[in-house]
Amino acid sequence: VGIGNSIAQATDDLLEHWVKSPHNPIVPMPQPGDPGHGVWESWDPHGWFEDGRYHAIFGGRKAALFQGPELHGLTHTGPFLLGDTLSDDEDDLSCPDFFAIG
């Protein structure tokens, strides 16, 4: 709990066998004193590959955007939403997803 986002990749087309990345966690949870502490959290990611780069939205009280040339080289690029959109202290943006419709 609280280590950050990790990843595993399927080794077969039936998705029955998986291998964890040796780089896990690919983005650690920021700890007190880290530059990302209080800025973003690292849980419930939604990721995709586009234009030669990996992109991800990480959930939490402050959903955040990340990108990088490799899955284990993701860098925080900013907030997913601007402003404080959560109305309750117990609300969060778990499992965020963002995609074009139409």
Side-chain angles (χ1 to χ4, degrees), residues 6-28:
S6 297
I7 193 167
Q9 294 179 296
T11 59
D12 64 289
D13 292 340
L14 295 176
L15 307 178
E16 293 179 334
H17 304 281
W18 296 76
V19 175
K20 294 179 183 179
S21 171
H23 302 286
N24 284 340
I26 59 169
V27 177

Side-chain angles (χ1 to χ4, degrees), residues 77-90:
T77 59
F80 176 59
L81 301 171
L82 297 177
D84 185 11
T85 60
L86 302 177
S87 60
D88 189 301
D89 286 342
E90 294 185 21

